[in-house]
Amino acid sequence: MHRWVVAFLSLHDGELRQTLVQADTKLLAYKAVLDKEFGRDYWVDYVEDTATPSDIEERVFDGDCYISAIKIPT
């Protein structure tokens, strides 16, 4: 399991939130933050099973938000 800092910026409220999460992949780190931001239904309803981190970044951007993750070296 890796540690990630996930930054999420919503252009609706202009607030940048950075969250430290533990996840095996960047995709799962995104899921952890998006579950918190939008609720679990967002991931189930809007994210395809074959989604990549780039797909998630694009989908979030289409909703006037930004998301990015950086893996913290151990």
Side-chain angles (χ1 to χ4, degrees), residues 1-4 20-23 70-74:
M1 183 119 2
H2 304 285
R3 293 185 317 159
W4 300 82
L20 180 64
V21 298
Q22 291 196 10
I70 296 173
K71 184 165 56 170
I72 298 173
T74 56

